[in-house]
Amino acid sequence: MMYKLLNFLRKIVKNDIGASEKSIQELQKQIAFELSQDYIQLMKNFNAGEGEIGENGWLCLFPVEDLVIANSDYKLLMEQIPDYFLFGKDAADTGYAFHK
């Protein structure tokens, strides 16, 4: 699975340093659901990034350290969809989120 995901995200310009175990653990303490292992592995490789995905898509992955703040910044939206947690957005500011 990770190989396919990394191949799909190959044009993403990622942070030089992946998310630390400490930052992932800190995030887990602040949220009320368990992050998927695929997402955790991805953030250990990327911890944010931005670029083309697919033929016509764009993805901006938020850094692990900014996820709680990002969800707070989109408070009005997140109140309408409380079962979701934002982890990124596209070029049109459409959010990408986990179903908790």
Side-chain angles (χ1 to χ4, degrees):
M1 168 82 163
M2 187 54 62
Y3 174 77
K4 287 182 181 181
L5 185 58
L6 291 174
N7 187 47
F8 187 69
L9 299 174
R10 70 186 177 278
K11 293 182 180 178
I12 297 280
V13 177
K14 62 182 184 173
N15 279 353
D16 290 335
I17 301 171
S20 69
E21 191 64 39
K22 181 180 178 182
S23 63
I24 292 168
Q25 289 173 359
E26 287 297 318
L27 175 61
Q28 282 290 184
K29 290 177 186 175
Q30 297 178 55
I31 60 177
F33 68 99
E34 201 64 35
L35 293 168
S36 77
Q37 288 303 307
D38 286 334
Y39 177 75
I40 290 171
Q41 284 303 112
L42 181 66
M43 289 295 95
K44 285 181 176 180
N45 285 304
F46 280 69
N47 196 28
E50 190 168 353
E52 292 179 48
I53 57 169
E55 292 182 27
N56 298 310
W58 189 265
L59 176 62
C60 172
L61 293 169
F62 301 142
V64 167
E65 299 82 4
D66 295 348
L67 287 175
V68 172
I69 293 168
N71 278 264
S72 177
D73 288 347
Y74 287 88
K75 183 178 179 181
L76 292 176
L77 169 64
M78 300 317 293
E79 287 175 346
Q80 302 299 311
I81 53 171
D83 292 339
Y84 290 86
F85 187 80
L86 288 175
F87 65 86
K89 64 180 183 172
D90 68 8
D93 208 29
T94 300
Y96 289 92
F98 295 115
H99 187 264
K100 297 177 188 177

